[in-house]
Amino acid sequence: TVDFGIKQALHQLGVKDINDGTSTGSNHFSSGKILESYSPVDGHLIAKVKTTSKEDYQKVIETATTAFKTWRTMPAPQRGDIVRQFSDKLREKKEALGKLVSYEMGKSYQEGLGEVQEMIDICDFAVGLSRQLHGLTMHSERPGHRMYEQYHPLGIVGIISAFNFPVAVWSWNTALAWICGDVCVWKPSEKTPLCGIACQNIAAEVFAKNNLPEGISCLINGDYQVGEFMTQDSRIPLISATGSIRMGKIVAQEVAKRLGKSLLELGGNNAIIVTPDADIKMTVIGAVFGAVGTAGQRCTSTRRLIIHESIYDTVKTAIVDAYKQLRIGNPLDENNHVGPLIDTDAVKMYQNALAKVVEEGGHLVIEGGVLTGEGYESGCYVKPAIAEAKPDFEIVQHETFAPILYLLKYSGDVGNAIAIQNGVVQGLSSAIMTNNLREAEQFLSVNGSDCGIANVNIGTSGAEIGGAFGGEKETGGGRESGSDAWKVYMRRQTNTINYTTELPLAQGIKFDL
Ligand code: UN1
């Protein structure tokens, strides 16, 4: 088998592979049980990682707490310079890290590189932001008084991330949290622990070079129980969690019990509305990349196409034709479009969803199925499938993390399509394909899409880092990445200063002694 430079990439990232030693793990406190990381690309065991025990966790938090005392006093623009150095390192290691993402998670190498690019982009954004952590000033109602607000660092930010964006989502959080003066403790998905170690190594190198404590960035490894150490820990004022709605509900309740803050990025059930005025060629590119990119495992993946009946057959034929060109196979081979699912459990969920849509009366236009034989030994490769369905099917209401696209038909005015699009519990990303200004504006209006992201003539996935990223309803309501998402990583303080010799009370209250 061709190695595609994996061994070298692991070496460059300081991640030991299974032949180099028994275990790997750059977090300094890891005495828990062993976690094995298998590649969905070829089914090989890549490495073993030691997980974080409860005792280790206590030490991690002590380290983070100590680091926070130094870090929070460093001026924000200087913290920005550290983030700049971190992004320089990411530029150096882009190919290696992109390759590891591709090999451990299974997305195409191009998308692996794209993910590292998102890390670089958010760092650049954060560097500029480090000079712009602005508060407002306001006019006091009392004479000789000044009022303003300022933002201070929050403390430890706990990050729980998912396998599908094993490096970028961490950096959306850390790049902002760091310039805000916070320190981070990260629990990556137990399905992609090596990506976590690689990132930690890069961060550690930068902190060491600047004589800063490594505790500014901490890594903990393990399953949901390790996540629970953080959600239940009142020393962590903010938990930023990405994953399923089921997981998010648990995290939200645990954090709320201690009145902590949570930032949730949960499931999507993203749709593209295709109106009679759509550009079909653009629609096909947007829909196909949205549905099969990352093998349908983005939270922004396109799951539903809501097509006007007058162009339904045309769109269906064009999409089916495009699917016939898709090459499925090793994601490190740049000739392939679609890589494997994360593991065989994900394959089972894909199969169950296909069975369910048929059971509910749907029709498979492209059947799908699991690939076997040479190159597919991991058992994780599936064919992207397309099903004609009804909006209210139970399975269509549900987010299946796999390349399954549902075709739904609407008639009449675009308002009917918007009602279908909004008729699910999730509210992450949405799009409309139209050249009709009225339709586009209605889609973006108060009566339009209820999602956190609403695009015109662009698909549902592939958001830029400059905007706030997140969604409404059961997607969890959090916003990460660009715009003013940084504010959640800081505590706001309102300051009123009296520079007179009198003490007038607000609201005109008289209190004479
Ligand atoms: C995710 O799937 O969790 O918008 C994040 C996108 C990417 C991020 C997806 N920029 O598709």
Side-chain angles (χ1 to χ4, degrees):
T1 53
V2 197
D3 165 68
F4 290 102
I6 288 301
K7 210 172 166 60
Q8 202 194 340
L10 288 171
H11 182 76
Q12 234 186 306
L13 298 164
V15 178
K16 282 187 191 165
D17 81 15
I18 194 67
N19 304 311
D20 293 335
T22 48
S23 69
T24 173
S26 78
N27 52 328
H28 300 305
F29 312 107
S30 48
S31 63
K33 50 183 197 285
I34 299 279
L35 186 68
E36 295 181 322
S37 177
Y38 287 89
S39 167
V41 173
D42 54 16
H44 292 168
L45 176 59
I46 318 171
K48 294 187 181 186
V49 177
K50 277 190 183 161
T51 58
T52 307
S53 69
K54 186 88 201 203
E55 293 70 48
D56 299 330
Y57 174 77
Q58 297 305 343
K59 289 185 205 145
V60 168
I61 297 299
E62 278 161 32
T63 312
T65 307
T66 310
F68 178 55
K69 292 198 176 108
T70 315
W71 187 236
R72 70 180 177 192
T73 59
M74 191 179 207
Q78 286 183 31
R79 293 194 295 254
D81 188 59
I82 303 297
V83 171
R84 181 194 57 76
Q85 294 179 40
F86 176 64
S87 80
D88 287 347
K89 278 266 168 295
L90 288 173
R91 283 173 167 90
E92 258 171 51
K93 302 195 186 228
K94 182 172 175 184
E95 284 75 25
L97 191 54
K99 229 166 237 185
L100 174 60
V101 168
S102 176
Y103 189 55
E104 193 180 31
M105 183 276 160
K107 66 175 67 176
S108 73
Y109 178 50
Q110 272 304 312
E111 291 183 71
L113 291 175
E115 200 181 327
V116 182
Q117 188 58 47
E118 279 200 38
M119 302 176 82
I120 294 168
D121 293 343
I122 191 69
C123 286
D124 288 355
F125 180 90
V127 174
L129 194 62
S130 70
R131 291 179 187 268
Q132 300 173 79
L133 303 172
H134 300 150
L136 297 171
T137 62
M138 46 291 278
H139 287 255
S140 170
E141 66 192 51
R142 288 167 283 185
H145 282 57
R146 186 165 75 81
M147 262 178 100
Y148 78 119
E149 66 184 4
Q150 55 178 340
Y151 287 87
H152 287 310
L154 205 54
I156 304 176
V157 175
I159 303 164
I160 298 174
S161 65
F163 75 84
N164 66 333
F165 272 78
V167 295
V169 170
W170 170 69
S171 70
W172 293 355
N173 284 282
T174 48
L176 296 189
W178 287 339
I179 60 111
C180 289
D182 300 323
V183 298
C184 299
V185 179
W186 179 26
K187 191 197 95 60
S189 164
E190 64 268 40
K191 295 175 184 179
T192 50
L194 304 181
C195 285
I197 289 167
C199 290
Q200 177 69 18
N201 288 350
I202 298 171
E205 209 182 306
V206 175
F207 294 131
K209 187 161 171 251
N210 290 278
N211 289 319
L212 286 165
E214 185 179 334
I216 296 165
S217 177
C218 298
L219 184 67
I220 57 177
N221 276 306
D223 57 14
Y224 73 97
Q225 283 168 322
V226 173
E228 244 169 41
F229 298 159
M230 290 207 289
T231 55
Q232 297 174 352
D233 190 342
S234 53
R235 291 169 295 182
I236 305 191
L238 172 67
I239 298 284
S240 171
T242 305
S244 67
I245 290 172
R246 202 185 69 85
M247 177 280 293
K249 285 182 176 169
I250 299 169
V251 168
Q253 290 178 48
E254 289 299 328
V255 177
K257 264 187 218 158
R258 57 177 178 85
L259 299 180
K261 289 207 268 185
S262 47
L263 191 176
L264 301 173
E265 296 287 358
L266 313 176
N269 192 347
N270 319 297
I272 302 180
I273 295 173
V274 190
T275 84
D277 283 314
D279 178 318
I280 304 292
K281 201 169 157 227
M282 283 166 62
T283 302
V284 170
I285 299 170
V288 176
F289 177 72
V292 312
T294 323
Q297 299 168 107
R298 290 191 186 212
C299 53
T300 52
S301 289
T302 307
R303 314 224 173 268
R304 300 177 296 152
L305 278 192
I306 305 168
I307 311 165
H308 193 265
E309 58 180 358
S310 64
I311 49 155
Y312 183 85
D313 288 332
T314 313
V315 173
K316 178 170 123 184
T317 309
I319 302 246
V320 167
D321 282 349
Y323 266 55
K324 288 185 188 144
Q325 335 263 312
L326 292 175
R327 283 185 298 271
I328 308 152
N330 190 322
L332 289 157
D333 178 344
E334 293 194 65
N335 291 312
N336 293 323
H337 301 102
V338 184
L341 290 175
I342 184 67
D343 54 21
T344 49
D345 286 344
V347 172
K348 279 190 205 104
M349 286 193 264
Y350 157 89
Q351 288 173 307
N352 290 343
L354 291 180
K356 189 87 200 299
V357 72
V358 171
E359 197 185 298
E360 288 193 80
H363 167 242
L364 294 173
V365 190
I366 293 197
E367 278 213 348
V370 183
L371 290 157
T372 53
E374 204 188 319
Y376 303 128
E377 291 85 356
S378 70
C380 299
Y381 291 85
V382 301
K383 291 190 227 164
I386 301 181
E388 298 185 285
K390 292 271 157 55
D392 56 350
F393 285 2
E394 204 195 328
I395 194 66
V396 173
Q397 296 278 319
H398 179 84
E399 176 192 47
T400 303
F401 236 45
I404 302 174
L405 182 64
Y406 300 114
L407 305 185
L408 313 173
K409 203 183 275 184
Y410 80 96
S411 45
D413 155 81
V414 73
N416 297 330
I418 293 170
I420 295 171
Q421 123 79 32
N422 290 347
V424 293
V425 294
Q426 308 87 347
L428 181 56
S429 187
S430 60
I432 191 169
M433 291 289 177
T434 184
N435 287 323
N436 180 322
L437 181 71
R438 290 180 181 152
E439 287 177 338
E441 290 291 335
Q442 188 177 338
F443 176 74
L444 300 177
S445 78
V446 62
N447 298 317
S449 165
D450 62 4
C451 291
I453 297 171
N455 298 331
V456 176
N457 291 334
I458 294 179
T460 59
S461 70
E464 300 179 20
I465 62 91
F469 183 91
E472 299 301 321
K473 302 194 287 187
E474 292 199 2
T475 298
R479 291 297 186 279
E480 281 173 325
S481 195
S483 184
D484 65 352
W486 63 271
K487 287 185 176 170
V488 75
Y489 301 92
M490 301 199 86
R491 60 184 172 86
R492 182 199 302 234
Q493 188 173 66
T494 301
N495 305 113
T496 310
I497 302 126
N498 173 5
Y499 57 90
T500 70
T501 54
E502 307 292 317
L503 189 60
L505 301 177
Q507 295 87 43
I509 293 173
K510 295 274 173 270
F511 187 75
D512 295 325
L513 289 176

